[in-house]
Amino acid sequence: MAEASGHRPLFSTQSASGRTVYKLFASSMLVSICLVLIYRVSHAPEAGESGRWAWFGMLAAELWFSFYWIITQSVRWYPVYRTTFKDRLSQLEEAELPCVDIFVCTADPVAEPPAMVVSTVLSLMAYDYPPEKLSVYLSDDSGSELTFYATCEAAQFAKRWLPFCRRHRVEPRSPAAYFAGSAGASDDKEHSDMKVGHVLFGFICKNLKFLSFQNLFREMESRIDAVSILGKVPKEQKTHKGFSEWTSEMTSKNHQPIVQILIDSREETSVDIDGIVLPTLVYMAREKRPQHHHNFKAGAMNALLRVSSVISNSPIILNADCDMYSNNSQSIRDALCFVMDEQQGHDVAFVQFPQCYENITKNDLYANALKVLSGVEFIGLDGLGGPLYIGTGCFHRRNALCGTKYTTEYKEDWKRRTKMENRETVSILEDRAKSLATCIYELNTQWGKEIGLAYGCVVEDVITGLMIQCRGWRSVYFNPERKGFLGVAPTTLPQTLVQHKRWSEGDLQIVLSKYCPLFYGHGKLKLGHRIGYCIYCLWAPNSIPTLFYLTIPSLFLLKGVSLFPEASSPWFVSFAYVAAAKNAYSLVESLISGDTLVGWWNIQRMWMLKRTTSYLFATIDNMLALVGASKAGFVITAKVAEADDSAKRYEREVMEFGTTASAGVMFVIIGTTALINLACLVVGLQRAVADQAFGGLLMQNVICGLVVALNLPIYEAMFLRKDEGRMSSSTVFASAGLTVLACALPVL
C-alpha cells in the first residue's frame, strides 16, 4: 500500500508466528497455577500442626512466582521482527544523510585499559558512512593522561586504518578484534561466515603490506600498554598541545574540564593517506571536584550532549560502552532506516541494538549472553511500544534525548545546518565546550531531570528510556544477523554477581520511585508495555521467595514434614504440570534463541545464584535506602583480562570463585544453600529407602535433588578443587556452620 502511493518504506515489521499455540499453552499454565494456589489455601494445616508457618510461607512464595510469571507473559504476546532496506537509503544523496555524533564513555584506565578503549574508538570511526558526517567523542571521567595519550595515538593510526578498512571491506573494524581473528565469536550463525573470513584473512596475510600494517597496530598497542604500565606519559612522548592541561596536582576526582579536538574534519590537513577526510575526534574530561556530585555515567553523557552541541550538534547520537566495539560497519545505515522513514519514523526516539559479547564460552558458563532477553523479550517489548534503553549500542534522536516531547506535528529537518559548518577556530570551540563541562553548569537547571539522562538512579539508562517514551516517543529494537556491537562479558562469578547486583538494585529503585512504570506511564504507555518494564524492575524481589523455596522444603524434608500433595493425589498433577511445562518451555525458548542444552542448565544455575545473592542484596540495599541508611553507588565492571590461570579456567568452563572480598558474603549464602540441600537430600533418600516409599515427600525430594544437581560445581569448588579459583576455606567453614545451625532448628 505504501509503495503504491509513492512511498517506499525503509523498514518492514512482521509479527511472529505461532502465537495461537503459545496462548493455548499459557492458558493451560494459568489454570494449573490457579489450582496450585487453591490447593495451598484449602489444605492449610490446622493451628498447632507442624509446618503451618512454612505452609503459608510457601503460599506467599507461590503467589509471588505466579504474579511474576503473569507479568513475563506481556512480552511474549505480540513479538515483532524488523527488517531494514539499506539499499533504498543508499539511493539518497550523501548530502541528504544526517550527521552522526558518537559518544564513548570510560571512567578508569585500570578497569578499562586505554588500548581497549581506543580500539573501540577506531571501530566507530571506521563506519561505512561519509566520514565528514561522523564525530566521535570520548568522555574520560578519570581525566587520565594515559587515556588521552592513547587517543592521540588512535588519531594518527586512523589515517592508515580507515583506508585499510575501505579497501578490504574489513569486518569487524576494531583492529584488536580483527587481528585477533575473533570476529563474530559470540554468535554461532556468524561462525560459518568466519570460515570464509579466515580464508580471506589467510590470503591477505600472504601480502607483505598486510603483515606490515598488522605490525603497525601491534607497535601502537605496545606503546599504549607500556605507558599504562609505567603509569605516566614520558615527557618526550607528550607531543600534543593538550598535555599542557595536566598538572601534578590533578587527580581523577579533582581536575578542571578538558576538551581537545584531536581531529577537525573541517581542516584540509585532516585527511587519511588516501586524501579522504577523517571523522572529527574529540577528547573530553568534564570537571570533577570533591564537593560536587558527578552523577556517574549519566553526568558524563549529559556533558557530552552539551559539548557536542557547540562542535557538531548532529541530530543523531550513538552511544557505546568503551568495550563495545562496532562489529557491523552498516549499523548506522540500519538505524537511519528507522528514524528517516517518511511515514513510520517520525516518532522513533531511539533504536536499540542488543548487547552481545565476544568472549562468551560455548555453554555460556555465567549466563551473561542473555540470549532469551535479546531474542525473545526485547522483540516482545518492541511489539508493545519499544524496548528499554540499555545504555550502549543505542542510536538516539538528539531532540528526544534533550527533552523534546513528541507531537503529531513534529518533523525532523535532516538538512538543517549544523554548527560543524561554522568557521570558528579549534581553540575557540574548545574554550566554549569547556564552559559546558564544568561542575556548576547544571546547577538550577533541568539537566538530569527533564533534559538529557536522568540522575539519581544506578540504571540511568532504563529510567531515561522510560521518560522518553512517556513523552510520546517510541523506540525500536533491531537485532541483525551480524551483531552490531560486541563487548567483553564478566569472566568470573564475583564479577557477574556484582554486576547483576547493580542492575537489579537500580531497577528496583525505579519501582520504589515516582517513576514506577505502572503509575508513571499511566495514560502514556500501553498496559502491556508498562508491565513489560516490571519484568526487569522486579528482578530483585524474586530473591526472598526463591531463597525460601530453596531452603524451607528441604529443611522440612529433613524433619519428615510434607509441604506438597502425595503423588497419588489429583492435586499433584497441577504441581507437576506447572514445574514440567514451565521448564520445558524455558528450554525450548533458550534453544531457539541460540543456547545449548548445557547452556540452558547453566542459565538455571545462574538464575538461582543471582536470585539468592545479587538480587537479595539489591533488595536489602533498597530497603535501607528508603530509611536513609544506604546510598546507591556505581561499580565499574572490570574489562581487563584476568590472570592466565583464571582465563584458562574460564575457557574450560570451570567456575571462578577466588577471594574477592565484595562477594564473600554472597559465597557464604551460596555454600550454605548448597550444603543444606545436600544434607537434606541424603536424609530424605535414606528415609524413602527405609520406608520403601516417598509418601508425601516426593516433590520435596525432587526439588532438593534438582537443587543439588545445579550446585554440583559449588560442591566441587568447596571440597575437590585445589586451584586458586576454588572457594576459600573460611567460606566453606562458615557455610558448614550455618548449615548445621539451620538443620538443628525445630519445625514450627
Side-chain angles (χ1 to χ4, degrees):
M1 184 70 71
E3 293 195 41
S5 63
H7 167 65
R8 301 188 71 199
L10 297 179
F11 71 93
S12 66
T13 303
Q14 300 87 30
S15 298
S17 59
R19 290 302 90 189
T20 301
V21 174
Y22 178 76
K23 290 175 182 178
L24 290 172
F25 162 75
S27 299
S28 70
M29 279 286 294
L30 183 60
V31 170
S32 297
I33 287 171
C34 290
L35 291 174
V36 167
L37 297 178
I38 290 171
Y39 171 81
R40 280 285 173 218
V41 173
S42 61
H43 289 71
E46 298 294 333
E49 290 187 36
S50 297
R52 180 177 170 83
W53 75 269
W55 190 277
F56 286 112
M58 296 289 286
L59 173 60
E62 287 160 356
L63 280 169
W64 174 262
F65 293 143
S66 302
F67 165 74
Y68 193 75
W69 178 84
I70 289 171
I71 69 172
T72 63
Q73 301 314 294
S74 62
V75 296
R76 289 165 171 82
W77 223 243
Y78 301 108
V80 296
Y81 297 92
R82 311 282 188 181
T83 304
T84 58
F85 305 118
K86 293 188 292 293
D87 55 326
R88 298 175 184 177
L89 185 70
S90 300
Q91 292 172 9
L92 297 175
E93 296 291 336
E94 284 199 356
E96 297 182 65
L97 295 174
C99 295
V100 179
D101 287 345
I102 302 175
F103 295 171
V104 182
C105 296
T106 184
D108 185 344
V110 176
E112 299 164 338
M116 177 200 70
V117 173
V118 297
S119 196
T120 296
V121 168
L122 286 164
S123 75
L124 298 168
M125 293 176 70
Y127 270 118
D128 182 11
Y129 199 73
E132 69 275 10
K133 292 179 177 288
L134 289 179
S135 300
V136 181
Y137 295 80
L138 175 63
S139 167
D140 177 18
D141 252 12
S142 66
S144 169
E145 68 173 359
L146 306 179
T147 303
F148 179 69
Y149 170 77
T151 311
C152 292
E153 286 279 1
Q156 294 301 313
F157 187 74
K159 297 178 180 180
R160 295 178 177 273
W161 176 243
L162 271 60
F164 179 80
C165 291
R166 286 194 300 268
R167 293 171 194 159
H168 302 290
R169 298 182 180 180
V170 167
E171 292 287 3
R173 298 194 171 183
S174 158
Y178 181 71
F179 291 121
S182 61
S186 72
D187 193 281
D188 292 339
K189 292 182 179 178
E190 292 178 20
H191 286 174
S192 59
D193 295 336
M194 284 183 62
K195 295 177 182 177
V196 178
H198 282 316
V199 173
L200 180 60
F201 184 82
F203 174 77
I204 296 176
C205 279
K206 295 179 182 178
N207 189 300
L208 183 61
K209 186 177 180 180
F210 174 85
L211 292 174
S212 175
F213 190 91
Q214 185 182 32
N215 289 335
L216 284 175
F217 170 68
R218 297 303 180 200
E219 289 170 4
M220 179 194 74
E221 195 175 41
S222 297
R223 290 194 297 272
I224 294 173
D225 288 341
V227 167
S228 299
I229 293 172
L230 185 63
K232 63 180 182 179
V233 182
K235 187 175 181 180
E236 61 273 14
Q237 292 178 255
K238 296 182 178 181
T239 56
H240 193 278
K241 67 177 180 63
F243 281 105
S244 62
E245 298 276 4
W246 276 266
T247 64
S248 58
E249 292 79 22
M250 286 177 59
T251 67
S252 62
K253 297 181 180 179
N254 190 9
H255 60 79
Q256 78 280 9
I258 302 171
V259 177
Q260 291 293 313
I261 302 176
L262 301 178
I263 301 176
D264 182 0
S265 62
R266 303 172 303 167
E267 299 292 334
E268 294 182 358
T269 56
S270 298
V271 295
D272 59 31
I273 59 175
D274 287 347
I276 297 177
V277 67
L278 288 165
T280 294
L281 178 61
V282 180
Y283 171 92
M284 182 202 79
R286 60 190 170 122
E287 184 181 21
K288 290 278 194 71
R289 300 301 178 193
Q291 64 270 30
H292 293 282
H293 195 288
H294 57 82
N295 294 303
F296 310 114
K297 182 180 176 181
M301 283 285 291
N302 287 344
L304 285 173
L305 274 171
R306 296 191 296 272
V307 167
S308 64
S309 70
V310 300
I311 298 176
S312 54
N313 198 36
S314 299
I316 299 297
I317 295 171
L318 161 64
N319 88 279
D321 285 346
C322 63
D323 66 315
M324 276 280 168
Y325 65 81
S326 168
N327 186 56
N328 186 341
S329 63
Q330 299 294 315
S331 293
I332 290 181
R333 296 180 183 271
D334 279 323
L336 291 181
C337 285
F338 294 106
V339 297
M340 295 187 72
D341 189 279
E342 293 179 5
Q343 291 188 357
Q344 306 175 79
H346 296 309
D347 60 345
V348 175
F350 60 89
V351 180
Q352 181 65 65
F353 283 68
Q355 188 169 3
C356 303
Y357 303 101
E358 67 172 350
N359 63 331
I360 298 296
T361 60
K362 178 182 177 181
N363 296 307
D364 195 6
L365 178 61
Y366 298 118
N368 284 315
L370 299 175
K371 291 182 179 179
V372 170
L373 186 148
S374 61
V376 175
E377 295 180 357
F378 268 33
I379 64 173
L381 279 169
D382 200 3
L384 294 169
L388 289 66
Y389 165 39
I390 59 175
T392 185
C394 190
F395 289 84
H396 297 268
R397 197 186 292 261
R398 180 183 285 267
N399 286 345
L401 197 56
C402 289
T404 300
K405 293 183 178 180
Y406 175 76
T407 64
T408 53
E409 292 78 26
Y410 179 88
K411 188 173 183 180
E412 190 81 50
D413 180 12
W414 299 114
K415 298 180 181 179
R416 77 174 189 266
R417 179 181 176 86
T418 63
K419 294 184 180 180
M420 197 63 195
E421 295 171 320
N422 66 37
R423 302 312 303 171
E424 291 180 323
T425 65
V426 166
S427 59
I428 291 176
L429 285 176
E430 288 176 347
D431 288 341
R432 288 180 60 195
K434 286 178 185 178
S435 68
L436 303 177
T438 62
C439 292
I440 62 173
Y441 182 86
E442 294 181 350
L443 295 179
N444 302 315
T445 71
Q446 290 299 306
W447 282 97
K449 299 173 185 175
E450 296 297 327
I451 303 175
L453 272 72
Y455 295 157
C457 182
V458 177
V459 287
E460 70 290 320
D461 40 19
V462 176
I463 199 169
T464 299
L466 174 64
M467 292 171 66
I468 290 173
Q469 290 167 343
C470 288
R471 296 187 194 118
W473 299 94
R474 68 187 176 98
S475 58
V476 167
Y477 179 65
F478 187 57
N479 188 7
E481 184 173 355
R482 181 174 184 89
K483 302 308 178 189
F485 304 89
L486 290 178
V488 180
T491 57
T492 69
L493 185 59
Q495 289 176 2
T496 301
L497 296 179
V498 170
Q499 182 184 69
H500 277 268
K501 190 259 185 185
R502 177 172 66 85
W503 287 352
S504 56
E505 181 180 355
D507 288 337
L508 182 57
Q509 191 178 359
I510 295 175
V511 170
L512 299 176
S513 72
K514 68 176 182 178
Y515 297 106
C516 176
L518 287 175
F519 306 110
Y520 183 72
H522 180 67
K524 305 167 188 175
L525 304 180
K526 295 177 182 177
L527 177 61
H529 199 187
R530 288 181 279 147
I531 293 174
Y533 263 93
C534 291
I535 295 173
Y536 313 102
C537 292
L538 295 177
W539 267 353
N542 278 295
S543 57
I544 296 173
T546 299
L547 191 60
F548 190 92
Y549 229 87
L550 287 175
T551 54
I552 299 305
S554 300
L555 289 172
F556 276 73
L557 170 64
L558 183 71
K559 308 298 183 179
V561 177
S562 176
L563 297 177
F564 294 91
E566 293 188 9
S568 58
S569 169
W571 294 104
F572 181 85
V573 177
S574 299
F575 283 88
Y577 179 78
V578 169
K582 167 69 172 60
N583 285 286
Y585 181 77
S586 168
L587 174 59
V588 170
E589 204 172 52
S590 191
L591 294 175
I592 290 175
S593 300
D595 290 311
T596 64
L597 179 61
V598 176
W600 172 79
W601 185 250
N602 288 338
I603 291 169
Q604 308 314 303
R605 177 186 304 112
M606 286 307 303
W607 273 119
M608 177 184 70
L609 299 184
K610 287 183 291 190
R611 285 186 174 193
T612 55
T613 56
S614 305
Y615 298 173
L616 178 63
F617 285 100
T619 302
I620 293 172
D621 280 358
N622 267 283
M623 296 303 104
L624 292 175
L626 287 177
V627 297
S630 176
K631 190 174 182 180
F634 191 93
V635 180
I636 300 173
T637 304
K639 311 299 192 306
V640 64
E642 293 293 318
D644 288 343
D645 289 344
S646 177
K648 289 177 182 178
R649 286 191 289 271
Y650 178 66
E651 291 171 2
R652 298 199 313 270
E653 298 191 328
V654 176
M655 296 190 80
E656 184 77 18
F657 292 86
T659 56
T660 306
S662 60
V665 180
M666 293 184 178
F667 290 163
V668 171
I669 295 174
I670 290 171
T672 302
T673 305
L675 290 178
I676 285 174
N677 279 274
L678 181 61
C680 294
L681 179 64
V682 170
V683 173
L685 291 177
Q686 286 179 340
R687 183 183 293 113
V689 171
D691 297 343
Q692 297 185 344
F694 285 102
L697 298 174
L698 175 60
M699 187 68 77
Q700 283 160 265
N701 273 282
V702 170
I703 292 173
C704 201
L706 288 173
V707 174
V708 168
L710 285 170
N711 277 306
L712 287 177
I714 311 301
Y715 304 130
E716 184 182 7
M718 296 178 78
F719 305 116
L720 302 179
R721 286 169 53 184
K722 303 298 181 184
D723 55 69
E724 293 298 319
R726 69 186 184 277
M727 198 176 284
S728 67
S729 299
S730 59
T731 300
V732 174
F733 286 131
S735 300
L738 290 173
T739 299
V740 172
L741 180 63
C743 292
L745 291 175
V747 173
L748 298 177

